[in-house]
Amino acid sequence: MTSEAAASGGKEPIAMARKLETLNSEAAVGGAKPISDAEAERAFRAILEWIGEDPDRDGLRETPGRLVRSYREYFSGYEEDPAQVLRKTFSEVEGYDEMIVLRGVTFESHCEHHMAPIIGRVWVGYIPHRRVVGISKLARLVEIFSKRLQIQERLTAQIANTIDDVLKPAGVAVVVKAAHHCMISRGVHKRGSDLVTSRMLGVFRDQPATRGEFLSLVNADTTEQRV
Ligand SMILES: [Zn+2]
């Protein structure tokens, strides 16, 4: 069973999404003093002790170091500028003005409330206006924003807003469906529920038929397959 918490786009005001985006980019600047890998390892070691483990036993000796390397990967998205990724556009589109859809891109992120995994898929659609971008660049954009501490609503808005800002298309549509491990492995322990968020801009917001065409592709992809 799928519980759809926040489907159907166009409800949240743009200002809210912009505010969320600003918050995230401020967070990305981080604290004043950089923390070294050794300091981070010591922190993970303290957590191991705190849960009642012996960080010096054989199986755990390398764990703080492994955690540091894992966290580097989980949060590698702070080091990259997502807008820059989209700037290499192809401007000759021969008047192509049909919908371009990247379907079901997988992502792994972490929620900023529990640092628990968010595992899901993203559908990105846009209708170009003079400029298109390589499809792999859209996947890259998803990757950069997901490799940060997130809430799903902001992840969704950031992907859509960045495409809107850089490519200036006729419209952008983003749907994110994801399972939140903070709901699965702790708290309410709800397995099998997805959170669905969407953001529709331009013609996807203004034209129900265009939005419907995009959403029917998303629904076709998700009727048999879970995130
Ligand atoms: Zn959470």
Side-chain angles (χ1 to χ4, degrees):
M1 288 248 281
T2 300
S3 78
E4 304 214 342
S8 91
K11 281 183 192 143
E12 84 222 298
I14 289 177
M16 181 61 183
R18 302 282 176 196
K19 194 173 153 231
L20 286 169
E21 190 172 30
T22 310
L23 280 172
N24 191 258
S25 62
E26 280 167 5
V29 175
K33 177 176 161 281
I35 303 290
S36 70
D37 285 6
E39 284 174 293
E41 276 191 40
R42 277 198 292 280
F44 283 127
R45 193 186 149 87
I47 290 169
L48 287 173
E49 286 183 52
W50 175 68
I51 63 171
E53 268 291 357
D54 169 13
D56 292 316
R57 73 177 171 84
D58 265 2
L60 292 181
R61 207 167 294 144
E62 305 290 322
T63 298
R66 283 191 207 100
L67 278 164
V68 164
R69 290 190 292 280
S70 300
Y71 270 56
R72 277 255 175 267
E73 186 180 332
Y74 298 157
F75 302 113
S76 57
Y78 289 110
E79 288 148 25
E80 289 170 273
D81 176 3
Q84 198 58 42
V85 168
L86 292 187
R87 290 220 170 89
K88 276 211 176 104
T89 55
F90 309 109
S91 53
E92 291 302 316
V93 293
E94 305 279 343
Y96 186 91
D97 59 358
E98 299 295 325
M99 195 182 297
I100 296 169
V101 183
L102 180 62
R103 299 165 76 158
V105 186
T106 58
F107 74 91
E108 304 90 36
S109 188
H110 287 79
C111 80
E112 69 183 24
H113 302 130
H114 306 93
M115 295 181 77
I118 304 171
I119 308 290
R121 290 176 184 272
V122 184
W123 287 256
V124 182
Y126 73 105
I127 295 178
H129 173 64
R130 292 210 291 265
R131 307 167 85 186
V132 297
V133 71
I135 205 87
S136 68
K137 298 288 163 48
L138 295 178
R140 193 79 196 94
L141 188 68
V142 171
E143 175 91 359
I144 292 171
F145 280 127
S146 62
K147 295 285 188 241
R148 298 178 178 188
L149 283 178
Q150 279 292 6
I151 60 171
Q152 188 175 320
E153 293 83 348
R154 183 173 59 217
L155 174 66
T156 310
Q158 285 176 328
I159 295 165
N161 291 347
T162 306
I163 295 167
D164 196 45
D165 288 345
V166 180
L167 297 187
K168 310 224 181 308
V172 186
V174 175
V175 169
V176 178
K177 298 192 180 199
H180 288 240
H181 283 225
C182 56
M183 278 183 62
I184 294 168
S185 58
R186 58 160 294 288
V188 292
H189 296 276
K190 285 288 167 269
R191 204 168 293 205
S193 57
D194 302 327
L195 181 67
V196 183
T197 48
S198 67
R199 179 142 187 82
M200 305 284 156
L201 298 173
V203 292
F204 289 94
R205 180 186 285 257
D206 302 336
Q207 296 175 9
T210 307
R211 180 166 63 244
E213 188 186 335
F214 174 75
L215 291 175
S216 69
L217 282 173
V218 175
N219 291 333
D221 287 341
T222 52
T223 40
E224 316 104 67
Q225 173 196 29
R226 302 290 320 285
V227 289

